[in-house]
Amino acid sequence: MQKLNQKVYSIIYASISVFIAGMVIYFPQEVLKASQRGLEVWANVVFPSLLPFFIVAELLIAFGVVHFIGVLCEPIMRPLFNVPGVGGFVWTMGMASGYPSGAKFTARLRQEGQLTKTEAERLVTFTNASNPLFIIGAVSIGFFYDHQLGILLALTHYSSNFCVGVCMRFYKYRERNNYRFQNFSISKAFEQLHLARIKENRPLGKILGDSVTNSIQTLLVIGGFIILFSVLTEIMREIHLAHFFAGGIAGFLQLLHLPIEMALPLFTGFFEITIGANEVSQTESSILIKAVFVSIILAFNGFSVQAQVASILAETDIRFAPYFFARILHAIFASIIVVLLYVPIYKYQIQSTMVSFMNWAQPPLENMQQLYRSIEQAGLLFTLMALFVYLLLLIKHK
């Protein structure tokens, strides 16, 4: 029976591969444009924005800073999320740099034995979030031309992600571990930092080189997934398969008394976040409806990001299923919280004469917009330089 199932899977995988290959040959022009679109997003924005975070995180792990943070965050992370203090580092870096950073750092800590399998599965469910630069710079300002909406989307995204983490603390709650509550201690944190640095046998040059090569290798995989799903999304549009599935989503939206015109953007967003958010912004619905659907798309992460996470977790024993379940939970929380926050955070701030909060927040938002545009303009040059350094390190290693 098991052999029969394996043969069925083999036939299915082979059939899908042949079908995709046939569509690539049949729609060469559309596939080329989709590949270029995915490559531009990766080279101009994703690579230059994520690489510094990845390299810095590798150095922080190597020099024991993560152990230091772990001891300090233990009294907070354990009661809230039922994960060790090192989860505080992953959570912070995941929010700052965006997905799939949380999966990468969780997998790295799991490989080093700082997390159990269950703790890693809990941690990865709420540490993969979109970074503020993308939510405010790309989505809110780039697509909606509304920096005030960015505050609403960011608060919704991170607060709903926090709720997911609290809920997932009960995942395998009865599983026993050897945890003993630790009090806040700076001296013990420095002691752990020193011990971790002593255990690191690699010289400084080796640490720096490995940090760069490991980070770029991960980003190359991420780039491949972005281009692949950009092509798959375009193929599904060309063969009208996207419209077929969108029809089913439209029926569900009609039952909820939501505009059915959101069906196709929502389906597209389930595959690729950027394209889906852009299509939502171009619909004729109210800003509240748009905010709800964009929040759902951001929370679900899209199959493109989920595939990136799955490829990273495949290097460990961390299961993908809890992460996928958490994305559905995240989307539900996000759709509820964005409605609750819409009036006090967005509508009230527009209608009220007391806009001190928005006046305070506007300069950072404008700076974030300028930063996003700067990354887009200089991103390709930065990517090419980094890839050149990567090739030099590989040649030296060989």
Side-chain angles (χ1 to χ4, degrees):
M1 186 66 180
Q2 187 175 2
K3 289 184 178 180
L4 180 61
N5 291 334
Q6 292 297 328
K7 289 182 179 180
V8 172
Y9 281 123
S10 298
I11 295 173
I12 292 174
Y13 294 150
S15 300
I16 293 174
S17 301
V18 171
F19 173 76
I20 294 175
M23 292 300 99
V24 169
I25 297 172
Y26 192 77
F27 299 107
Q29 205 66 21
E30 292 77 8
V31 167
L32 178 61
K33 290 180 180 179
S35 299
Q36 290 175 339
R37 184 171 60 243
L39 181 60
E40 288 174 0
V41 171
W42 175 78
N44 294 339
V45 179
V46 175
F47 190 98
S49 61
L50 287 185
L51 182 61
F53 285 98
F54 280 10
I55 294 176
V56 169
E58 291 281 346
L59 295 176
L60 292 177
I61 294 173
F63 295 141
V65 179
V66 174
H67 295 74
F68 176 85
I69 296 174
V71 175
L72 295 183
C73 293
E74 187 76 21
I76 301 174
M77 298 300 293
R78 184 63 71 172
L80 283 176
F81 308 116
N82 199 14
V83 296
V86 292
F89 164 80
V90 180
W91 190 28
T92 304
M93 293 295 290
M95 286 193 296
S97 56
Y99 23 61
S101 304
K104 174 179 169 58
F105 303 143
T106 301
R108 176 67 186 277
L109 295 179
R110 172 58 183 152
Q111 290 169 344
E112 293 191 349
Q114 298 189 48
L115 298 168
T116 66
K117 179 183 177 182
T118 300
E119 289 170 345
E121 290 174 350
R122 291 188 192 124
L123 185 61
V124 78
T125 59
F126 68 95
T127 53
N128 281 278
S130 180
N131 62 33
L133 184 64
F134 176 75
I135 295 177
I136 298 174
V139 176
S140 302
I141 298 175
F143 298 155
F144 289 89
Y145 306 102
D146 186 353
H147 65 271
Q148 293 173 335
L149 181 64
I151 298 176
L152 173 64
L153 293 178
L155 287 176
T156 297
H157 189 66
Y158 298 126
S159 59
S160 57
N161 204 29
F162 174 85
C163 294
V164 171
V166 174
C167 291
M168 293 304 293
R169 78 181 304 277
F170 299 103
Y171 170 69
K172 293 187 178 180
Y173 188 76
R174 297 181 180 275
E175 184 175 289
R176 295 185 177 182
N177 52 44
N178 297 323
Y179 165 73
R180 291 185 301 175
F181 183 80
Q182 299 177 1
N183 294 322
F184 181 85
S185 174
I186 295 181
S187 60
K188 188 172 182 179
F190 275 109
E191 181 183 351
Q192 290 297 319
L193 182 149
H194 175 68
L195 291 175
R197 191 193 66 82
I198 294 299
K199 290 180 180 179
E200 185 59 65
N201 297 322
R202 294 175 297 170
L204 179 60
K206 176 66 173 174
I207 292 175
L208 292 173
D210 289 347
S211 299
V212 173
T213 54
N214 292 339
S215 300
I216 293 180
Q217 285 174 358
T218 302
L219 284 167
L220 288 173
V221 174
I222 291 173
F225 277 110
I226 291 175
I227 295 172
L228 172 63
F229 275 86
S230 180
V231 170
L232 291 178
T233 303
E234 186 63 30
I235 289 175
M236 294 181 72
R237 284 178 171 275
E238 291 297 326
I239 63 177
H240 302 289
L241 193 60
H243 294 80
F244 173 77
F245 286 110
I249 296 176
F252 178 73
L253 294 179
Q254 195 169 15
L255 291 176
L256 300 177
H257 302 287
L258 293 172
I260 60 175
E261 63 176 355
M262 286 293 182
L264 185 58
L266 184 61
F267 176 78
T268 304
F270 283 159
F271 276 84
E272 217 292 312
I273 296 173
T274 307
I275 301 175
N278 189 22
E279 290 185 0
V280 169
S281 68
Q282 296 173 2
T283 60
E284 300 297 329
S285 301
S286 66
I287 193 66
L288 174 58
I289 295 297
K290 291 180 181 180
V292 169
F293 281 91
V294 169
S295 297
I296 292 174
I297 290 173
L298 291 173
F300 188 71
N301 289 182
F303 292 129
S304 175
V305 174
Q306 291 185 21
Q308 298 167 28
V309 172
S311 68
I312 295 172
L313 299 184
E315 300 176 358
T316 67
D317 58 352
I318 304 173
R319 295 192 307 134
F320 176 77
Y323 166 80
F324 181 78
F325 170 77
R327 299 287 58 79
I328 299 175
L329 193 62
H330 192 184
I332 295 173
F333 278 129
S335 62
I336 297 172
I337 292 175
V338 72
V339 175
L340 297 177
L341 295 181
Y342 176 72
V343 173
I345 299 300
Y346 182 80
K347 191 173 182 180
Y348 173 77
Q349 294 297 338
I350 292 178
Q351 295 177 349
S352 175
T353 56
M354 300 176 62
V355 291
S356 57
F357 175 74
M358 287 301 175
N359 291 334
W360 169 83
Q362 189 168 354
L365 292 177
E366 291 177 350
N367 294 336
M368 194 164 291
Q369 181 186 17
Q370 294 175 358
L371 176 60
Y372 188 83
R373 289 177 177 173
S374 299
I375 291 177
E376 279 189 318
Q377 293 172 359
L380 181 59
L381 180 61
F382 179 85
T383 301
L384 294 175
M385 292 175 59
L387 291 176
F388 179 72
V389 173
Y390 174 69
L391 289 175
L392 292 178
L393 290 173
L394 282 183
I395 293 172
K396 183 179 179 181
H397 179 71
K398 294 294 182 180

